[in-house]
Amino acid sequence: MSLLSVIVPCYNEEASVALFYEELIKNDPFLKEHEIELELLYIDDGSRDATVEEVKKLRQMDERVHLVSFSRNFGKEAAMFAGMEKSKGDYVVIMDVDLQDPPSLLPKMFEGIWEGYDSVATRRVDRKGEPPIRSFFARMFYRLMKKISKTEMMDGARDYRLMRRQMVDAILSMREYNRFTKGIFGWVGFRTKWLEYENVERARGETKWNFWKLLMYSFDGIMAFSTAPLMISSVMGVIMCLVAFVLIIFIIVRKLIFGDPVSGWPSLVCIILMPSGIQFFCTGILGHYLAKTYMEVKARPIYLVREEL
Ligand code: UDP
Ligand code: MG
């Protein structure tokens, strides 16, 4: 017998908990046939609704259901990490509770594992049902990441992924505080097979992400997996020096030939304003990296558990 751990992060998802369970156990015959046991870990990310009670109800019916409840909302990244840490399975899969990661794909994912892959990941081929502006920025983000980061990140990739234990342990060895799992999956490597499917809309409840949160999340992702922004100040500095050099020569030559005094404070104002703007901008970027470093150095725990069943 081998064991499959299903990790399900939940934040205010009382309406979806039972629905997800029903959908997942449709795989029971398949799992039984292939002698795979199941453990289902609901990670409650500090929900303020009845999510915990819903999970406890399920646990009374089915011993395979487990609960880890956080002391507050730590974010999905932390929930996924906690799930992996608590899981005991030879195989681990992460799924959203809102059924946007269809549990019916599991048999197909296992085929990939049996073909010899270390992990089977999924990506959406379309972004149906998503605001166009959100899709546009998402595409831009992946295109930018491809240019400035060595870590591979697939456009439309979801966190829905089946992994062998070896890969999970590799991910767990990365104990960074600022977690960007989409990048971490790529960073650890291993042989990954990609499954594509069409976007499924959320079954119940509503998304926890708005545009602003996603934008901030993308900045985190860039900073976690690229130091390219730090190059901006060096590049700007070089460009500024070149411009200054050309200007100096121009002014000296003009003075020698025409002898006019250097006039005009407008040019001076521009010269002062632009470089100081750029300097602030670059200091800001530096500051962000420093802030991230500060959080890492503190080495705070990634999550805190309030209750565990
Ligand atoms: N989630 C979480 N903590 C959070 C936000 C979300 O555990 O702070 C969970 C949520 O319950 C769901 C999954 O992460 O199972 C994906 O969230 P959501 O569906 O809101 O994101 P979307 O699919 O819209 O990108
Ligand atoms: Mg969702």
Side-chain angles (χ1 to χ4, degrees):
M1 279 300 239
S2 50
L3 179 67
L4 167 70
S5 306
V6 179
I7 297 169
V8 195
C10 308
Y11 179 47
N12 294 340
E13 301 277 9
E14 55 181 10
S16 307
V17 168
L19 204 69
F20 175 83
Y21 174 81
E22 296 298 328
E23 210 46 49
L24 181 73
I25 57 169
K26 286 185 186 159
N27 284 307
D28 274 353
F30 165 80
L31 295 176
K32 200 163 183 188
E33 185 188 332
H34 294 91
E35 303 203 317
I36 302 168
E37 268 185 283
L38 176 77
E39 69 169 358
L40 173 54
L41 291 99
Y42 282 101
I43 315 294
D44 158 50
D45 187 9
S47 301
R48 267 161 299 189
D49 63 358
T51 303
V52 173
E53 285 70 34
E54 288 291 320
V55 177
K56 283 181 181 166
K57 259 190 242 167
L58 286 179
R59 190 177 156 75
Q60 275 169 1
M61 279 165 24
D62 190 338
E63 283 190 333
R64 298 175 297 176
V65 176
H66 301 265
L67 168 73
V68 177
S69 188
F70 287 177
S71 61
R72 64 168 170 87
N73 181 245
F74 280 88
K76 188 188 174 187
E77 297 289 340
M80 290 193 286
F81 183 80
M84 284 190 259
E85 217 170 38
K86 304 284 177 191
S87 70
K88 300 192 187 74
D90 309 294
Y91 308 106
V92 171
V93 63
I94 302 172
M95 290 187 201
D96 282 5
V97 73
D98 58 7
L99 294 177
Q100 279 190 299
D101 300 333
S104 54
L105 278 180
L106 258 186
K108 230 172 156 187
M109 294 174 101
F110 264 107
E111 267 168 37
I113 293 284
W114 292 324
E115 275 167 35
Y117 288 95
D118 301 303
S119 97
V120 181
T122 57
R123 65 184 281 259
R124 303 183 288 181
V125 282
D126 65 339
R127 292 174 169 272
K128 190 178 66 194
E130 195 181 72
I133 181 117
R134 188 167 152 176
S135 308
F136 172 74
F137 275 98
R139 293 238 159 76
M140 289 246 301
F141 170 75
Y142 285 108
R143 214 173 294 162
L144 181 69
M145 273 317 249
K146 203 168 255 172
K147 292 225 171 73
I148 64 174
S149 172
K150 289 196 189 98
T151 305
E152 194 193 339
M153 267 171 245
M154 189 77 98
D155 186 3
R158 298 198 50 92
D159 296 327
Y160 185 17
R161 189 185 274 260
L162 177 64
M163 292 167 278
R164 285 179 196 273
R165 188 77 231 172
Q166 200 186 8
M167 182 167 174
V168 176
D169 287 339
I171 292 170
L172 287 173
S173 71
M174 298 173 77
R175 296 205 55 93
E176 59 212 72
Y177 184 80
N178 298 290
R179 301 191 74 77
F180 190 72
T181 305
K182 282 186 191 357
I184 291 177
F185 284 145
W187 193 92
V188 296
F190 292 97
R191 296 184 53 205
T192 300
K193 179 179 179 175
W194 287 92
L195 284 185
E196 297 184 344
Y197 70 97
E198 277 178 24
N199 193 23
V200 185
E201 287 189 42
R202 192 173 236 285
R204 303 231 177 120
E206 53 194 59
T207 175
K208 310 292 177 298
W209 296 88
N210 56 35
F211 184 74
W212 185 250
K213 263 191 175 169
L214 274 174
L215 191 68
M216 288 297 134
Y217 184 58
S218 70
F219 288 152
D220 283 349
I222 290 172
M223 273 191 275
F225 280 92
S226 168
T227 48
L230 287 173
M231 280 291 290
I232 292 177
S233 50
S234 319
V235 173
M236 293 270 198
V238 171
I239 293 174
M240 287 266 163
C241 285
L242 285 177
V243 171
F245 186 70
V246 172
L247 275 179
I248 288 168
I249 291 182
F250 172 74
I251 287 171
I252 291 176
V253 169
R254 197 174 64 166
K255 168 81 181 165
L256 289 179
I257 297 175
F258 302 103
D260 32 316
V262 181
S263 69
W265 74 280
S267 52
L268 204 62
V269 169
C270 295
I271 290 168
I272 292 172
L273 274 186
M274 197 174 86
S276 62
I278 292 174
Q279 273 172 14
F280 273 125
F281 177 65
C282 294
T283 318
I285 293 176
L286 257 174
H288 276 294
Y289 277 94
L290 191 64
K292 296 279 173 203
T293 314
Y294 178 54
M295 292 313 286
E296 294 293 350
V297 169
K298 283 193 191 192
R300 287 184 178 163
I302 297 168
Y303 63 92
L304 290 172
V305 174
R306 192 183 68 84
E307 189 181 9
E308 199 174 335
L309 294 172

